[in-house]
Amino acid sequence: MATGRTHRPATRSRGIPEATVARLPLYLRALTALSERSVPTVSSEELAAAAGVNSAKLRKDFSYLGSYGTRGVGYDVEYLVYQISRELGLTQDWPIVMVGIGNLGAALANYGGFASRGFRVAALIDADPSMVGKPVAGMPVQFIDDLERIVAENGVSIGVIATPAGAAQQVCDRLVAAGVTSILNFAPTVLSVPDGVDVRKVDLSIELQILAFHEQRKAGEETGGEAILPPVVRDAAAVTPAEGRKGPDGDMPAVMPA
Amino acid sequence: MATGRTHRPATRSRGIPEATVARLPLYLRALTALSERSVPTVSSEELAAAAGVNSAKLRKDFSYLGSYGTRGVGYDVEYLVYQISRELGLTQDWPIVMVGIGNLGAALANYGGFASRGFRVAALIDADPSMVGKPVAGMPVQFIDDLERIVAENGVSIGVIATPAGAAQQVCDRLVAAGVTSILNFAPTVLSVPDGVDVRKVDLSIELQILAFHEQRKAGEETGGEAILPPVVRDAAAVTPAEGRKGPDGDMPAVMPA
DNA sequence: CCATCTTTGTGCACGCGTTCACAAAGACAT
DNA sequence: ATGTCTTTGTGAACGCGTGCACAAAGATGG
């Protein structure tokens, strides 16, 4: 299992930087809102504020796409919407399959943001026979045995995994074998995929843990002026790693199960 | 500051790099799995493989926490689980409130990963009166008017927003005013918060759009050796931005509504 | 046509994060 | 104790992303 290469070499010289690509949807959303209000043009300063980024960063981002602005005026909203949409590949229709129609999967299927921007849910797939046929988001759930057929018949290249962690890798393998080359993973697991397959990962509990870290730091700082030592616990488990290797001693607080 | 002979981690300063913090939950998950299988020690190479990262990166990440490994052996699993948990602030209990109990909010409330690692859902809040009192994930939904009281009584410092986009900023303002200093936002909006408040954002459609970009590039590359021009459309809207500013002309494909 | 004003596009410097490569440190065998 | 072997911890180089600051470009007005 020497796979596991989830990140790409990113040696695209004339490519658009990853960080820029990640912001393009942000700009697109802000521009769409302006478009709906029939705003004809927008300056980098205004658009940057709406997207929550620095204006210099925004201009540099757009410079990778080309010179689409007019100096002294700004950017044409409609034109920019089209250019970014095209760059992101949203001018075409992307059929996607969603595997794992539990609580989260059903919520995602119902989530409007999925279907609204060029993405079309081609099928909902689950491994639970009692789910099969039940309508979710106006669409009958299909059995996982049909996964390969569904992917092939619909030309699906993007899959969404919302299964439990234990099933995710297996589902991933089947999706990849069937021809899917991009995966959005909601299961709390690291997926191994061959080269050429992109995986993006959304993990709810990880985000919370990152917030908790910052929250703890804030709380620790306002306690006093201590700048070096952590605020609280520093006594228990303050042993050297070597001697801490004994066997079944459960003095650690059970922080989590899975 | 580069003293060669400080046996203590003096340069621990106080700042763990953001990128490292974002990976700590990943390591923690892998370590927890090892712990459940009663694996006593693990090498950086093995753990890195399980977490899907480079082993050098993992060692450098751990070096920010201190010298918790044993050369020639590896890391003590239980000890490392405890150290990372403490660093992330997971040894304490974090009460959180979730606002917006629609499809997504209900799914999140039911999602085990939330409650499992030191986080406790203190309250579910919604603005829809018909939702109030209904049990979701074994907990009655409360009305949004009680938001401030709930936050204060439970000492909540972390809030999760799963409302529609239109309501997110308003809810955010109320949470912040009530004392919440960390927000996890699932609504597709840019939130404005005062300094000192952390916001993390999970946007499902943005992730899909990023995947679509890479997917399009893959498709374009395998078409042929064209290296400069984009694969397809290059005729329509190939006008200068200046003259494209006319009024109500809908020749752009309607890519999305909201 | 010229002057002025606005806003873009970008060269440049800087800081962060990643990766390599290796010395130091400890385990283990003899 | 000594040597060998394994694995950590980290110095250093490198590349990417960010933000500043400004010249170029075009609009606008006289």
Side-chain angles (χ1 to χ4, degrees), chain A residues 98-141:
Chain A
M98 190 170 304
V99 187
I101 314 300
N103 276 316
L104 184 58
L108 296 179
N110 278 296
Y111 185 54
F114 260 63
S116 57
R117 326 185 181 228
F119 301 100
R120 177 174 50 84
V121 178
L124 307 178
I125 301 176
D126 202 285
D128 181 0
S130 69
M131 283 290 299
V132 174
K134 284 179 58 178
V136 171
M139 177 173 273
V141 174

Side-chain angles (χ1 to χ4, degrees), chain B residues 41-56:
Chain B
T41 61
V42 65
S43 71
S44 65
E45 204 72 47
E46 294 166 324
L47 186 54
V53 302
N54 186 298
S55 73

Side-chain angles (χ1 to χ4, degrees), chain A residues 16-26 61 88, chain B residues 206 209-211 213-214:
Chain A
I16 301 176
E18 264 304 302
T20 296
V21 172
R23 280 188 294 266
L24 289 182
L26 238 59
D61 283 341
L88 284 174
Chain B
I206 282 184
Q209 290 175 53
I210 295 172
L211 282 180
F213 172 83
H214 293 299

Side-chain angles (χ1 to χ4, degrees), chain B residues 182-247:
Chain B
S182 286
I183 290 177
L184 181 52
N185 179 32
F186 287 87
T189 318
V190 176
L191 293 180
S192 296
V193 293
D195 280 357
V197 176
D198 281 301
V199 175
R200 294 194 67 88
K201 161 177 178 25
V202 176
D203 193 312
L204 320 178
S205 80
I206 282 184
E207 299 299 322
L208 271 189
Q209 290 175 53
I210 295 172
L211 282 180
F213 172 83
H214 293 299
E215 200 60 40
Q216 186 187 41
R217 185 168 59 175
K218 288 182 218 164
E221 276 174 359
E222 77 186 16
T223 305
E226 49 196 341
I228 296 177
L229 289 180
V232 271
V233 261
R234 190 54 182 169
D235 36 290
V239 294
T240 75
E243 69 186 13
R245 200 185 348 153
K246 44 30 194 157

